[in-house]
Short mmCIF file of all heavy atoms in Angstrom, two decimals:
data_model
loop_
_atom_site.label_atom_id
_atom_site.label_comp_id
_atom_site.label_asym_id
_atom_site.label_seq_id
_atom_site.Cartn_x
_atom_site.Cartn_y
_atom_site.Cartn_z
N GLU A 1390 134.57 84.58 2.74
CA GLU A 1390 134.59 84.19 4.14
C GLU A 1390 134.74 85.39 5.07
O GLU A 1390 134.31 85.35 6.22
CB GLU A 1390 135.72 83.19 4.38
CG GLU A 1390 135.50 81.84 3.69
CD GLU A 1390 136.62 80.88 3.97
OE1 GLU A 1390 137.56 81.26 4.70
OE2 GLU A 1390 136.58 79.74 3.48
N SER A 1404 120.65 98.48 13.21
CA SER A 1404 121.33 99.41 14.12
C SER A 1404 121.61 100.75 13.45
O SER A 1404 121.37 101.81 14.04
CB SER A 1404 122.64 98.78 14.60
OG SER A 1404 123.39 99.68 15.39
N SER A 1408 115.73 100.92 12.69
CA SER A 1408 114.44 100.44 12.19
C SER A 1408 114.55 98.94 11.94
O SER A 1408 115.60 98.44 11.52
CB SER A 1408 114.06 101.15 10.90
OG SER A 1408 112.83 100.69 10.39
N VAL A 1410 114.37 95.52 10.12
CA VAL A 1410 114.46 95.05 8.74
C VAL A 1410 113.36 94.02 8.51
O VAL A 1410 113.31 92.99 9.19
CB VAL A 1410 115.84 94.45 8.44
CG1 VAL A 1410 115.89 93.90 7.02
CG2 VAL A 1410 116.94 95.48 8.66
N ASP A 1417 120.34 91.20 -8.55
CA ASP A 1417 121.19 90.82 -9.67
C ASP A 1417 122.14 91.96 -9.99
O ASP A 1417 121.92 93.12 -9.63
CB ASP A 1417 120.34 90.52 -10.92
CG ASP A 1417 119.47 89.29 -10.73
OD1 ASP A 1417 119.88 88.40 -9.96
OD2 ASP A 1417 118.39 89.22 -11.35
N GLY A 1418 123.17 91.61 -10.78
CA GLY A 1418 124.07 92.63 -11.28
C GLY A 1418 125.33 92.74 -10.45
O GLY A 1418 125.36 92.48 -9.24
N VAL A 1439 128.21 94.17 0.03
CA VAL A 1439 129.30 93.58 0.78
C VAL A 1439 130.33 93.05 -0.21
O VAL A 1439 130.01 92.70 -1.34
CB VAL A 1439 128.80 92.44 1.70
CG1 VAL A 1439 127.76 92.95 2.69
CG2 VAL A 1439 128.25 91.27 0.90
N ALA A 1448 132.43 104.30 -1.79
CA ALA A 1448 131.65 105.36 -1.17
C ALA A 1448 132.28 106.73 -1.43
O ALA A 1448 131.57 107.70 -1.73
CB ALA A 1448 131.55 105.11 0.34
N LEU A 1451 131.54 107.79 -5.05
CA LEU A 1451 130.16 108.24 -5.21
C LEU A 1451 129.98 109.63 -4.61
O LEU A 1451 129.32 110.51 -5.20
CB LEU A 1451 129.20 107.26 -4.56
CG LEU A 1451 129.02 105.92 -5.29
CD1 LEU A 1451 128.28 104.93 -4.40
CD2 LEU A 1451 128.27 106.10 -6.61
N ALA A 1455 128.94 113.17 -6.51
CA ALA A 1455 127.82 113.98 -6.04
C ALA A 1455 128.26 115.41 -5.73
O ALA A 1455 127.51 116.37 -5.98
CB ALA A 1455 127.20 113.35 -4.80
N GLU A 1457 131.07 117.01 -7.02
CA GLU A 1457 131.73 117.70 -8.11
C GLU A 1457 130.89 117.83 -9.38
O GLU A 1457 131.27 118.55 -10.31
CB GLU A 1457 133.04 117.00 -8.46
CG GLU A 1457 134.03 116.91 -7.32
CD GLU A 1457 134.50 118.28 -6.86
OE1 GLU A 1457 134.60 119.19 -7.71
OE2 GLU A 1457 134.75 118.44 -5.64
N VAL A 1478 117.57 102.65 -5.54
CA VAL A 1478 116.99 103.36 -6.67
C VAL A 1478 116.29 102.33 -7.56
O VAL A 1478 116.92 101.41 -8.09
CB VAL A 1478 118.06 104.12 -7.48
CG1 VAL A 1478 117.40 104.90 -8.62
CG2 VAL A 1478 118.84 105.07 -6.56
N ASP A 1494 123.31 112.90 -22.42
CA ASP A 1494 123.23 114.23 -21.83
C ASP A 1494 123.95 114.28 -20.49
O ASP A 1494 124.70 115.22 -20.19
CB ASP A 1494 121.76 114.65 -21.64
CG ASP A 1494 121.07 115.00 -22.94
OD1 ASP A 1494 121.77 115.31 -23.93
OD2 ASP A 1494 119.82 114.99 -22.97
N PHE A 1532 147.63 107.58 -19.35
CA PHE A 1532 146.96 106.38 -19.84
C PHE A 1532 147.96 105.26 -20.08
O PHE A 1532 147.69 104.10 -19.75
CB PHE A 1532 146.19 106.68 -21.12
CG PHE A 1532 145.41 105.50 -21.63
CD1 PHE A 1532 144.22 105.11 -21.03
CD2 PHE A 1532 145.86 104.75 -22.70
CE1 PHE A 1532 143.51 104.00 -21.48
CE2 PHE A 1532 145.16 103.64 -23.17
CZ PHE A 1532 143.98 103.27 -22.55
N ASP A 1539 150.12 99.39 -16.46
CA ASP A 1539 149.82 98.90 -15.11
C ASP A 1539 148.98 97.63 -15.18
O ASP A 1539 149.27 96.64 -14.49
CB ASP A 1539 149.09 99.99 -14.33
CG ASP A 1539 148.85 99.58 -12.88
OD1 ASP A 1539 149.79 99.65 -12.07
OD2 ASP A 1539 147.70 99.19 -12.57
N THR A 1546 151.95 89.22 -14.45
CA THR A 1546 152.41 88.69 -13.18
C THR A 1546 151.48 87.60 -12.66
O THR A 1546 151.92 86.58 -12.11
CB THR A 1546 152.52 89.81 -12.14
OG1 THR A 1546 153.48 90.78 -12.59
CG2 THR A 1546 152.95 89.27 -10.78
N HIS A 1579 133.15 108.83 -15.40
CA HIS A 1579 132.60 107.81 -14.50
C HIS A 1579 133.51 106.59 -14.51
O HIS A 1579 133.80 106.02 -13.47
CB HIS A 1579 131.19 107.45 -14.96
CG HIS A 1579 130.56 106.32 -14.22
ND1 HIS A 1579 130.88 104.99 -14.46
CD2 HIS A 1579 129.61 106.30 -13.24
CE1 HIS A 1579 130.17 104.21 -13.66
NE2 HIS A 1579 129.39 104.97 -12.91
N ASP A 1581 133.13 103.46 -15.81
CA ASP A 1581 132.62 102.09 -15.94
C ASP A 1581 131.15 102.12 -16.35
O ASP A 1581 130.29 101.50 -15.72
CB ASP A 1581 132.79 101.34 -14.61
CG ASP A 1581 132.62 99.82 -14.75
OD1 ASP A 1581 132.45 99.35 -15.90
OD2 ASP A 1581 132.66 99.12 -13.73
N PHE A 1620 125.28 101.00 -25.68
CA PHE A 1620 124.25 101.88 -26.23
C PHE A 1620 124.54 102.08 -27.71
O PHE A 1620 125.65 101.85 -28.18
CB PHE A 1620 124.23 103.22 -25.49
CG PHE A 1620 124.33 103.08 -23.99
CD1 PHE A 1620 125.39 103.64 -23.30
CD2 PHE A 1620 123.39 102.37 -23.28
CE1 PHE A 1620 125.51 103.49 -21.93
CE2 PHE A 1620 123.49 102.20 -21.91
CZ PHE A 1620 124.56 102.77 -21.22
N ARG A 1627 123.59 111.90 -29.88
CA ARG A 1627 123.30 112.97 -28.92
C ARG A 1627 124.59 113.50 -28.29
O ARG A 1627 124.76 114.71 -28.11
CB ARG A 1627 122.35 112.47 -27.83
CG ARG A 1627 122.09 113.49 -26.71
CD ARG A 1627 121.45 114.78 -27.22
NE ARG A 1627 120.10 114.56 -27.64
CZ ARG A 1627 119.03 114.65 -26.87
NH1 ARG A 1627 119.17 114.96 -25.58
NH2 ARG A 1627 117.83 114.45 -27.35
N ASP A 1630 126.26 115.79 -30.63
CA ASP A 1630 125.58 117.09 -30.66
C ASP A 1630 125.98 117.95 -29.47
O ASP A 1630 126.10 119.18 -29.60
CB ASP A 1630 124.06 116.89 -30.66
CG ASP A 1630 123.53 116.34 -31.98
OD1 ASP A 1630 124.25 116.43 -32.98
OD2 ASP A 1630 122.41 115.82 -31.99
N ASP A 1661 139.67 83.53 -21.65
CA ASP A 1661 138.59 83.57 -22.63
C ASP A 1661 138.54 84.92 -23.36
O ASP A 1661 138.02 85.00 -24.48
CB ASP A 1661 137.23 83.31 -21.96
CG ASP A 1661 137.05 81.86 -21.57
OD1 ASP A 1661 137.86 81.02 -22.02
OD2 ASP A 1661 136.11 81.56 -20.82
N TYR A 1662 139.07 85.96 -22.74
CA TYR A 1662 139.07 87.29 -23.36
C TYR A 1662 140.33 87.55 -24.20
O TYR A 1662 140.43 88.60 -24.84
CB TYR A 1662 138.91 88.39 -22.31
CG TYR A 1662 137.46 88.72 -22.06
CD1 TYR A 1662 136.73 88.04 -21.10
CD2 TYR A 1662 136.80 89.70 -22.81
CE1 TYR A 1662 135.39 88.33 -20.88
CE2 TYR A 1662 135.47 90.00 -22.59
CZ TYR A 1662 134.77 89.31 -21.63
OH TYR A 1662 133.44 89.60 -21.43
N GLN A 1672 144.07 94.72 -35.09
CA GLN A 1672 143.41 95.81 -35.78
C GLN A 1672 144.23 97.09 -35.73
O GLN A 1672 144.25 97.88 -36.69
CB GLN A 1672 142.03 96.04 -35.18
CG GLN A 1672 141.20 97.12 -35.87
CD GLN A 1672 139.84 97.27 -35.23
OE1 GLN A 1672 139.33 96.35 -34.58
NE2 GLN A 1672 139.23 98.43 -35.41
#
Side-chain angles (χ1 to χ4, degrees):
E1390 293 181 0
S1404 175
S1408 179
V1410 177
D1417 294 331
V1439 301
L1451 288 168
E1457 301 297 327
V1478 183
D1494 286 340
F1532 183 76
D1539 184 78
T1546 299
H1579 174 282
D1581 195 4
F1620 316 118
R1627 175 60 70 89
D1630 288 342
D1661 286 348
Y1662 270 89
Q1672 183 179 337

